[in-house]
Amino acid sequence: MLGLPRGTVFLSEWTKEWAETFIIEKNKIESVFPDENIRVHHIGSTSVEGLKAKPILDIGMEINNFEDIKEYIQGLERIGYKNMGSSILPERYYFIKGEPRTHQIHLFEKGNSFLEEQITFRDILRKNNSIKERYELLKIKLVEAHAEDKHKYAEMKTGFIHDVLEKYEY
């Protein structure tokens, strides 16, 4: 089940429903932009089988450039996403869906290094159970310490993620 109430952080056991829901959502997004050259990725912990995660579906979406951003904003709004703008997170537009929040889209220009890092980290977790287990233990500790502060929770994971990415030289 998806949905994270505002102001809280908790983890749920991974479920196959997350992968299935991503496919459904990807198809919706692609149907809104049928003639566009876009790529839609399942990112974040819900994309890693067996990994506990905040119950929010993270989607990375790539477009050629931001010149036609109004078209993409309007299209995503038609399928229920709220545009949160481009000032919340670096080099991307951010969209949310659901109350409580169930989906979030990080919309990037193609070749963005932040998205490439997210995809690489996801792929490392999918292939390496030892790293996945260490990451999950860290997340559990951080939820216990920062259950009311999603920003602190996310910030405290950054060092681990960068260490893994450096070690695996993507």
Side-chain angles (χ1 to χ4, degrees), residues 6-158:
R6 190 175 303 242
T8 63
V9 179
F10 64 86
L11 301 176
S12 297
E13 294 291 334
W14 186 87
T15 174
K16 190 171 128 181
E17 174 190 316
W18 293 343
E20 294 166 350
T21 302
F22 168 73
I23 296 298
I24 292 166
E25 202 65 21
K26 178 181 179 185
N27 290 336
K28 283 181 192 175
I29 294 166
E30 289 175 341
S31 73
V32 172
F33 308 107
D35 298 325
E36 300 294 320
N37 186 16
I38 65 169
R39 292 177 64 200
V40 181
H41 308 275
H42 192 181
I43 58 174
S45 293
T46 61
S47 69
V48 180
E49 185 174 344
L51 180 62
K52 289 182 181 179
K54 293 181 302 179
I56 300 173
L57 196 69
D58 278 300
I59 298 169
M61 183 174 162
E62 291 179 275
I63 62 174
N64 286 332
N65 58 59
F66 288 151
E67 287 178 14
D68 299 321
I69 192 63
K70 287 182 184 179
E71 171 190 333
Y72 292 100
I73 291 170
Q74 291 169 352
L76 292 172
E77 287 175 341
R78 281 196 304 272
I79 57 172
Y81 285 91
K82 180 179 178 185
N83 175 23
M84 303 303 289
S86 62
S87 61
I88 295 174
L89 296 165
E91 298 181 34
R92 74 193 85 175
Y93 281 81
Y94 178 61
F95 299 82
I96 60 173
K97 183 178 186 178
E99 188 55 52
R101 185 170 31 131
T102 56
H103 300 66
Q104 50 195 22
I105 292 178
H106 304 265
L107 178 63
F108 296 95
E109 288 182 314
K110 284 191 178 170
N112 183 281
S113 64
F114 289 108
L115 180 58
E116 289 175 7
E117 285 178 356
Q118 290 178 354
I119 291 169
T120 300
F121 186 67
R122 175 203 66 193
D123 292 347
I124 291 168
L125 293 176
R126 285 177 172 176
K127 294 175 186 172
N128 190 313
N129 281 331
S130 173
I131 294 173
K132 179 171 72 173
E133 289 168 6
R134 287 182 19 234
Y135 186 54
E136 183 173 88
L137 289 173
L138 172 64
K139 290 169 51 149
I140 291 167
K141 289 177 185 176
L142 292 175
V143 163
E144 291 170 359
H146 305 289
E148 305 299 321
D149 188 346
K150 70 178 183 178
H151 298 292
K152 190 71 169 174
Y153 166 81
E155 176 187 324
M156 299 301 289
K157 295 185 304 180
T158 303

